[in-house]
Amino acid sequence: MRVTSGSIALVVLGCLAASSFPSSGQVAPARTEPQALEKVSPAQVKSAIDLLGSLDFPVRMNAGRTVRRAESSIAVPALLDAVANHADSYVRFKALVVLSGFTDPRIKDTAVKALGDRNDRLRAAAYGWFEHHPEPALTPRLLAALAKEESEFVRPALTRAL
């Protein structure tokens, strides 16, 4: 018997098809992550925010996931503080990005303050927030920023915000 690459591919596809879908009458078990069942403490949120600036992508990704899983009453104040006061400018930027996923009226004030920050990543994130949360009263300020914004990474976000 001669085995060809085509016959191997057919066998692999057949195995994948048989294992991927439940047979009739069977219900696929619901997936639950054990981490989703645990409450995230304020200390865990604070620690995770500090890790948002990690050079190691999995560490940074898990830190963001931890903060997003936290209740907004815990995560939002910690993120607002990080955007305003953290020593690492990259953490400030990432904190604003994560903060953008929450709904809280205080985010607008933080984003307005970030528009004038010297950190170009933070400005770009703030303009990105206003792209999705238009604020007509800021139009004159955004037009003025368009005339003086020099960062090639910030200008597209500013343009989209307008």
Side-chain angles (χ1 to χ4, degrees):
M1 181 172 141
R2 189 171 154 207
V3 177
T4 63
S5 61
S7 61
I8 292 173
L10 285 175
V11 170
V12 169
L13 283 175
C15 290
L16 286 173
S19 66
S20 296
F21 301 103
S23 62
S24 62
Q26 288 182 333
V27 177
R31 287 185 174 181
T32 58
E33 293 184 25
Q35 296 173 343
L37 302 175
E38 300 173 10
K39 289 228 178 218
V40 179
S41 72
Q44 288 173 310
V45 169
K46 172 80 172 109
S47 174
I49 287 173
D50 290 336
L51 293 175
L52 288 174
S54 173
L55 295 176
D56 189 9
F57 176 72
V59 171
R60 198 170 59 238
M61 181 185 65
N62 286 331
R65 186 178 294 150
T66 299
V67 175
R68 286 189 306 274
R69 274 193 351 240
E71 293 179 19
S72 62
S73 62
I74 295 171
V76 170
L79 288 167
L80 290 170
D81 182 56
V83 171
N85 302 317
H86 203 280
D88 186 340
S89 63
Y90 188 73
V91 171
R92 293 179 64 218
F93 155 68
K94 292 300 283 185
L96 184 56
V97 169
V98 174
L99 184 61
S100 298
F102 289 93
T103 304
D104 190 284
R106 296 172 290 180
I107 298 171
K108 176 184 158 194
D109 296 333
T110 300
V112 168
K113 287 178 189 170
L115 294 177
D117 202 271
R118 60 183 264 258
N119 181 344
D120 61 345
R121 287 184 177 126
L122 194 62
R123 286 195 317 273
Y127 289 129
W129 189 84
F130 284 112
E131 176 185 354
H132 297 287
H133 304 88
E135 190 63 40
L138 284 178
T139 302
R141 182 173 177 181
L142 297 180
L143 286 171
L146 189 60
K148 64 180 181 176
E149 182 61 62
E150 295 179 2
S151 175
E152 64 184 277
F153 301 106
V154 178
R155 287 183 66 79
L158 171 56
T159 304
R160 288 189 306 269
L162 279 167

